Structures are given as C-alpha cells and as structure tokens.
Amino acid sequence: MTRPNRPPIPLSEPQRRLLMQLRIEGAAPRTRLAQALGMNGASVTRLTQSLLALDLIEELETPEAVARGRPMVPLTVSGRGGWAIGATPHLGWLELVLVDFRGRPLVHDTTPFDSPDPRVFAQVVETRLQALAATHGFMRGKFLGLGVAVPGYALPGDRNRRAVVDRLAGWDDVPLADIIGDALGMPVWIENDASVAALAEYYQDGIIGRYRSVLTLFLGHGVGGGLIAERDLFLGEHGNAGEVGRLFPGHDARPSGIDLLRTLREAGIDVDSLADIDALMETHRPVIDRWTRRVIEQLEQAVLSGIVWLDPGAIILSGALPLRLLQTIAAGLDEIGRHRDENYRAALPPVLASPIGSKAVVIGAAMIPIHAVTAQHTPL
C-alpha cells in the first residue's frame, strides 16, 4: 500500500479555516475575518500573526487602511508561501507547470516525451526542473510537492494504482506515487486528469468566492468529470467519482475531442490535432454544428444527474476544445435545463465555459499539494 502524503505545511484547523476564507474573499481585514469565522479579535490576531510568520498571507498596505488602524489593513494569501509542480504525460510530449501559493502559474513548459515508463517520466521531469530553475530561479521558496495528472481510473485498494491508456503501459497497476516520488526524492500526489481539472477550475477568480460545490465536465481527447463538494475535491469511495466516460462507451459516438476529429475526417476534412479545430470553426461550420448539437444531447443526462445528486453551485465545461465551442455547448446545456425546469422554483446552477482550456489539467495537478495545506481531507 502506498504511503499517504502528509500536508506539506501542517496547520491547525483554525489556521486552515482562516486561510480558506482569504482564498474565498480574495482580501479581507482582520475585523471582517473575525465576523466571517465567528471568532473574537484576539483569536484572529494570533492566527494571522502565525500565518504571516509562515509567509502564507501578507498585508496589503493601503494608506486609508493604515490610517484606520492595523485591524483594518486587508490581508490576502501570499504567493511567497511556497510553490508546487504539476505534470502530465501526453501523446508525444510532457507538460509541466509551476504555481505559487496563490495558485498563479509561474512557468509553463512542454518537452518531447514518448516513453511508457514512469521512471523515464520522472527523469524527464527532473531534467526540465533543473533547466527551469537555472533560468527562472524559482527554487528559492518553500517547495510543497509534485502533483501528477494521470489519464486513468483508480484500481481497487489503492488509488495510486491506475488503469491507464495503452500508450502508458508501464503506468498500469503500479504504485505510481512511490515510483515517481522515490526517483525524484519529493512528495508526489497521483490523481485522475479530469478530477484535477475540476480543482483548477474551482480555484479560479469568480468561482471559489461564489460557490461551495462545483461539477466540472472535461472534454479533452476523451470525456471525464470532477467534483468539488463543500470546497474540497470529492473523489468517492474508490477514488473514481466523476468517471462520466463510462456513460459513453468508446465504440460509440462520444462527446470527446477524438470523436470530433474522427467526425471531421469522415467528412473529408484533413485535421490531425484539437489545436487545429479553432481554424475550422467558420469554414466547416455545418459539420461542427451537427456534432455540437449531438454532444449537447449526449451530455444532457450527465448534467441532469449531477444536478440531482450534487446540487452544485455551478457546472463548468472545461477541456481542450476551442473556447467558443465550449461556450456553445455550455449555452445549449443551460438552455435545455432551464426549459425543462421552467416550473421548478429551486435554484438551478449556471453552466459556464472555462477559458483555461487544456491547461486546467496540469494547473490542477500543481494545485493538489497547495490544496492539501488547507483541505479538511488530504488527498492520497
């Protein structure tokens, strides 16, 4: 059994609550934090002093706030609190991102990679980190760990063991966190790519401050999903919550990028990559429109089921498809839902299209060690 990772910065429950409140609000003075958390001023002062000493939060010194006294000086999460890495293997290349403690990407890097061996993956990650460190000097702060996004579901008994796609045969049913962590000498978290995409989407401005629970559908080469429930990544009993791909068997038409490429090729259009789709949106609109209408119909039941069971604040459509295509699908799903429930008086979640694109996966992977600092339950 793979050893679980501990939080990279051990905090008390009140410290975690205050830190999460600042992530929710963006910035807030001590008086506001005391009110929101139901604490007295002295308790908040002690907590903020300890978090300031750890460089996890910082003061925003505005002249007006300083003039009104220290309790009115806004506090915010500090990027200097640490940094983390996210990594994921693609067909023919490897993607890395480094984020600071606020979750802001510092460096985005891609490099050729075609090995099915996780040890080779670790070696390439180490080589790229050394080169990036020499160029950017990011290793001066506290390192929190590496999150690895894997295109595969967790196997019984250990969510670090995954059933993966054929091109990553060496990753199948092996203790990935131990293999990669031992090779790199660092704490490693392993998680499904669509699940970590949900984490990246949740930490975006305008989402974490507005919603406690979010359902994300990720349309990449395949189709997957992820859940944030009560501000934490919900993985389920066996680590496979959000495996919506099972609703769409691979031998049938699917709401996925691979399916769109196949549809375009069958129409006689020469296209090799999802990156080429945006340029075809106008010239081959009829084919793409037909595919889009079918995808909206396919995703309707998945969205409705998610609303019924999770009651999310929002549904986010994310993935490697062009933003305007995601926006069209999101608008179609939103319209269907509101038309179906026009006499239903409970609140319904908006369906939103994400502007992050495919980078949501690698950003989300990097957010796992950072999220573990404040999460109530540490991801394995």
Side-chain angles (χ1 to χ4, degrees):
M1 182 75 175
T2 301
R3 61 183 180 273
N5 278 316
R6 293 190 174 95
I9 303 175
L11 298 180
S12 67
E13 189 270 341
Q15 287 174 318
R16 292 198 306 270
R17 287 180 60 208
L18 192 148
L19 194 56
M20 179 57 78
Q21 191 64 34
L22 283 176
R23 290 200 183 277
I24 292 167
E25 298 206 25
R30 293 166 178 81
T31 52
R32 166 62 190 159
L33 291 170
Q35 179 185 31
L37 299 173
M39 299 178 179
N40 60 47
S43 296
V44 168
T45 295
R46 286 194 297 272
L47 289 173
T48 55
Q49 285 175 340
S50 64
L51 294 173
L52 284 165
L54 290 169
D55 250 353
L56 301 181
I57 64 174
E58 61 187 0
E59 293 183 326
L60 299 177
E61 296 277 4
T62 64
E64 179 184 1
V66 172
R68 296 169 63 192
R70 185 59 56 187
M72 298 306 298
V73 174
L75 298 163
T76 190
V77 177
S78 172
R80 299 189 305 273
W83 60 276
I85 313 163
T88 189
H90 298 279
L91 180 61
W93 57 290
L94 182 151
E95 186 177 17
L96 282 174
V97 73
L98 283 74
V99 300
D100 67 12
F101 193 67
R102 293 190 65 181
R104 294 176 301 191
L106 302 173
V107 180
H108 180 254
D109 181 73
T110 61
T111 192
F113 174 77
D114 60 4
S115 172
D117 189 336
R119 294 172 182 83
V120 176
F121 171 85
Q123 292 168 3
V124 175
V125 168
E126 183 174 33
T127 299
R128 290 307 304 151
L129 283 178
Q130 290 174 352
L132 293 171
T135 303
H136 300 278
F138 55 80
M139 288 187 175
R140 285 191 292 268
K142 182 176 178 58
F143 173 61
L144 303 179
L146 166 69
V148 180
V150 179
Y153 57 87
L155 293 171
D158 184 355
R159 64 184 56 168
N160 286 306
R161 292 179 178 265
R162 300 265 158 178
V164 299
V165 294
D166 291 342
R167 63 180 172 81
L168 294 174
W171 297 54
D172 191 76
D173 197 11
V174 297
L176 288 169
D178 284 347
I179 291 173
I180 298 173
D182 289 347
L184 289 170
M186 63 177 64
V188 172
W189 284 259
I190 303 294
E191 194 48 71
N192 172 264
D193 50 5
S195 293
V196 296
L199 194 62
E201 299 293 355
Y202 188 66
Y203 272 90
Q204 297 305 299
D205 291 341
I207 301 297
I208 191 171
R210 185 175 300 176
Y211 307 112
R212 295 196 312 275
S213 300
V214 169
L215 184 156
T216 296
L217 293 173
F218 190 85
L219 306 184
H221 284 86
V223 53
L227 309 174
I228 299 293
E230 295 301 321
R231 305 194 189 282
D232 206 352
L233 184 61
F234 180 80
L235 299 174
E237 183 79 11
H238 306 291
N240 290 319
E243 275 288 304
V244 297
R246 296 182 62 192
L247 300 175
F248 311 103
H251 56 272
D252 293 333
R254 311 181 80 210
S256 70
I258 289 292
D259 184 81
L260 176 55
L261 292 175
R262 182 170 57 246
T263 299
L264 291 167
R265 290 177 191 136
E266 289 174 352
I269 302 164
D270 185 19
V271 58
D272 296 319
S273 168
L274 294 181
D276 301 330
I277 300 296
D278 196 40
L280 303 174
M281 293 284 289
E282 298 300 331
T283 56
H284 298 85
R285 178 174 292 278
V287 177
I288 294 176
D289 283 352
R290 283 195 300 272
W291 182 86
T292 302
R293 287 193 295 270
R294 187 250 291 168
V295 165
I296 291 171
E297 293 175 1
Q298 287 182 298
L299 291 176
E300 178 187 2
Q301 194 61 38
V303 169
L304 177 60
S305 299
I307 292 173
V308 168
W309 287 106
L310 183 63
D311 186 24
I315 294 167
I316 299 178
L317 204 63
S318 181
L321 302 180
L323 176 57
R324 49 182 171 163
L325 187 51
L326 289 176
Q327 289 171 332
T328 300
I329 297 171
L333 290 169
D334 196 72
E335 182 179 358
I336 288 175
R338 297 191 184 282
H339 178 72
R340 181 203 308 110
D341 297 319
E342 58 185 3
N343 295 319
Y344 185 60
R345 293 185 290 172
L348 291 172
V351 184
L352 310 172
S354 167
I356 306 177
S358 60
K359 290 188 181 69
V361 170
V362 72
I363 292 174
M367 289 302 300
I368 300 175
I370 290 172
H371 180 71
V373 175
T374 48
Q376 294 181 356
H377 303 97
T378 303
L380 297 183

